[in-house]
Amino acid sequence: MFSRPTRVTAAATLAAALTFSLTGQATAGPDDTPGTAGATTVTDTPEPERPAFYEPPATIPNEPGTIIRSEKAPLLLDPFDLSSTVVTATRVMYSSTDGDGNPIAVTGTVFEPTTTYYGKSERPLISYAPGTQGMGDRCAPSRQMEDLVEYEGIGIARSVARGYAVAITDYQGLGTPGTHTYVAREAQGNATLDMARAAQNLEETDLDADTPVGIMGYSQGGGAAAAAAELAGEYAPELDIKGSAVGAPTAHLDQVGEQIDGSLYNAFALFAVLGLSTAERIDPDEYLNEEGRKMASQVEDACVFDLFDYAFKDTGQYTASGKSLTELLSEEPFASAVEEQRLGKIAPNAPVVINHAIGDDVIPYKGGKQLGGDWCDKGTRVSFNAGLIPTHVGGFVPHVEKSMYFFEKRFAGQNQLSSCWRL
C-alpha cells in the first residue's frame, strides 16, 4: 500500500490535522509527494474530487515562492463581496519545498487592505500559519473561507484592521493531492516562508521584496511559525523578517501526545500518526490493526470540527500491538521522527514573542516555556507571555491581541522587554 522506503528523520505528530487530496482517477506522482500531480494518500484512500484550481501542474517551478496561478477569492464572512472597497483577497497556488527538498505546489490566500497604512514603515506583511484545520482537502483555509467556517478569520481580520497585508498558507497536501504532512517541521516552515515570497511576487498587490514581514501562528500554526522563524536565516535570508509571534507552539510533540491521547482532542493524535507516516515514508499498515486502518481511512477526510467523532476513545484499540498511540509514537520508527520535529535547536534570525496559556489543555505550557528558554540560550531576543485564560481555545484571542502589540513595536523598529532572564 505504501511503496516508498521508510525514512525516519523528519515529520510530525500532535496538535491538529491531516489531509488527503487526490481524485480517484489520478495516477501516482513522483514518489507520491503531497502537493504534486496525482499524489496518493498514505492510506491509499481515494480523495473526493477537488476544484480545478487545486490540481498542481505536471511541472512545478523550482524557485520557491513562484506564483503558479491566482484568482479572486471569496472574502471571509463576506459572501456578497461588500468588503472589497477596503480589502482585496486573492487565492494563489505557489511553489514551495517539502522536507526532502522536492518542489511542491501549495495553495493559500493573500489579503491586502486598500486603505492607507500610516505606520512608520511601508505596509507590512504577516505570513499567517493556520492552526489545526483537518485532514480533508475541504479543510484547507482557502476553501473554508469560502464556506464561512474558518476560525482563523479572527486573527486575519484583526491583522487587516491594523493595516497589515496577510498571506495565509494551506500547507503541503491540504487542498492539493496527497496526505497533509501535519506538523512536519520543515514542510510547514517552508510553506509559511514561501507564502510570504509568493505574496511579494503577486502582481495584484503593492507588496514587493522590500516589504517588512512578520510571522504569526497559533497551535499547529504556532509550531509552523516557530519552524519558519528557525529556518528563515538559511532558507529565506532575503525576507526582511522583523519578528515572529508564536502561540502555543507544538515544540515537543511527545508532550502533546501524552496530554491529549484519549481526551476530547483524541483526533489530533490520530491525525498525527498519518502525518508522521506521510512525511517519514512509514507504512502505517504495519502498526495499525484492521479497525485502525478503517479509522485511518475515515480520518483522511475529517476536519477539526469533526473532533467529537473521535473523542475519549482508547487509542490502543487501533494499533496492532494494543499499545496506545502515545506509546506507539515513543517507539521506532516513530520516535526518531518525533524527535526530528522538536523546535528550539536553531536560533530565529529576528526577535520572537511566545504567547502560551498556563492552563492549556492541548499543548503543555511547559513546552512553550522551554522553547523560549532554548532560543534565549542561543542568543535570540524572546518576550514570553503566560496567559491566564484557561484552555487551548481560551488562549487564542489573547495571543492575537498580544501579537498585534508585538508587531506594532517591531514594524516601528522597537523591541519589547526580553523575558530571557526568567526563562
Side-chain angles (χ1 to χ4, degrees):
M1 142 182 138
F2 199 77
S3 59
R4 292 178 286 177
T6 299
R7 182 182 66 85
V8 182
T9 47
T13 175
L14 312 125
L18 190 40
T19 151
F20 61 25
S21 6
L22 154 71
T23 57
Q25 293 72 35
T27 56
D31 297 323
D32 289 342
T33 300
T36 60
T40 57
T41 62
V42 70
T43 61
D44 276 349
T45 304
E47 298 179 288
E49 185 175 356
R50 65 181 60 80
F53 184 88
Y54 292 85
E55 292 290 354
T59 302
I60 297 170
N62 288 320
E63 184 68 26
T66 301
I67 297 291
I68 297 173
R69 64 175 69 110
S70 64
E71 66 179 16
K72 181 179 174 60
L75 283 172
L76 181 63
L77 301 181
D78 187 14
F80 300 108
D81 199 23
L82 301 179
S83 300
S84 59
T85 57
V86 294
V87 62
T88 62
T90 307
R91 181 181 289 154
V92 299
M93 175 180 282
Y94 62 96
S95 60
S96 188
T97 309
D98 74 355
D100 295 324
N102 298 311
I104 59 172
V106 179
T107 50
T109 308
V110 179
F111 297 88
E112 184 183 30
T114 58
T115 54
T116 302
Y117 177 66
Y118 292 102
K120 293 186 178 180
S121 67
E122 65 174 278
R123 187 188 306 281
L125 167 68
I126 302 296
S127 187
Y128 198 110
T132 300
Q133 301 294 306
M135 293 203 46
D137 286 341
R138 62 191 175 94
C139 314
S142 64
R143 291 187 62 177
Q144 295 204 107
M145 289 176 189
E146 187 173 2
D147 295 333
L148 312 183
V149 293
E150 178 51 62
Y151 65 84
E152 291 289 8
I154 296 171
I156 295 170
R158 192 72 180 90
S159 301
V160 170
R162 302 283 284 212
Y164 306 150
V166 177
I168 177 170
T169 180
D170 289 338
Y171 296 133
Q172 181 184 12
L174 193 55
T176 52
T179 297
H180 170 42
T181 49
Y182 174 63
V183 289
R185 180 178 60 88
E186 285 189 80
Q188 61 187 20
N190 291 350
T192 302
L193 293 169
D194 291 331
M195 182 75 258
R197 286 167 158 163
Q200 292 178 344
N201 290 332
L202 187 61
E203 294 182 356
E204 290 88 336
T205 74
D206 293 326
L207 306 173
D208 57 34
D210 296 324
T211 296
V213 176
I215 301 171
M216 178 177 174
Y218 187 81
S219 191
Q220 180 191 359
E230 291 188 347
L231 295 170
E234 181 174 348
Y235 183 75
E238 82 285 1
L239 291 177
D240 184 17
I241 296 176
K242 299 299 185 182
S244 300
V246 175
T250 53
H252 300 270
L253 298 176
D254 54 341
Q255 296 177 8
V256 182
E258 292 171 2
Q259 180 146 305
I260 68 173
D261 195 350
S263 74
L264 171 64
Y265 298 94
N266 208 28
F268 298 171
L270 302 176
F271 299 163
V273 171
L274 297 187
L276 280 168
S277 298
T278 299
E280 295 308 315
R281 314 297 199 256
I282 298 171
D283 185 352
D285 261 3
E286 297 181 20
Y287 307 95
L288 299 176
N289 58 23
E290 183 177 353
E291 185 66 22
R293 289 190 288 272
K294 179 180 178 181
M295 172 278 303
S297 182
Q298 294 171 344
V299 166
E300 286 279 15
D301 196 34
C303 292
V304 67
F305 298 113
D306 299 317
L307 180 73
F308 298 102
D309 293 343
Y310 306 94
F312 306 115
K313 293 185 178 181
D314 175 10
T315 58
Q317 68 180 299
Y318 301 126
T319 65
S321 64
K323 296 179 179 179
S324 69
L325 292 183
T326 298
E327 293 174 306
L328 185 67
L329 291 170
S330 69
E331 300 175 351
E332 296 298 350
F334 293 99
S336 295
V338 169
E339 173 59 23
E340 182 66 24
Q341 308 319 308
R342 183 167 65 84
L343 298 165
K345 300 177 183 178
I346 305 171
N349 66 347
V352 176
V353 63
I354 299 176
N355 305 309
H356 207 147
I358 295 174
D360 194 314
D361 56 343
V362 176
I363 302 174
Y365 168 81
K366 64 180 180 180
K369 188 174 182 180
Q370 183 178 342
L371 175 62
D374 289 341
W375 280 343
C376 285
D377 290 344
K378 293 175 174 56
T380 301
R381 187 182 187 92
V382 178
S383 300
F384 186 86
N385 296 314
L388 299 180
I389 299 178
T391 76
H392 188 63
V393 174
F396 177 57
V397 172
H399 158 72
V400 171
E401 292 307 312
K402 291 170 183 175
S403 298
M404 293 300 99
Y405 178 73
F406 170 77
F407 284 128
E408 200 71 14
K409 284 185 169 293
R410 290 303 303 140
F411 292 138
Q414 304 171 15
N415 281 319
Q416 287 185 293
L417 292 175
S418 173
S419 301
C420 288
W421 62 274
R422 59 183 176 88
L423 293 175

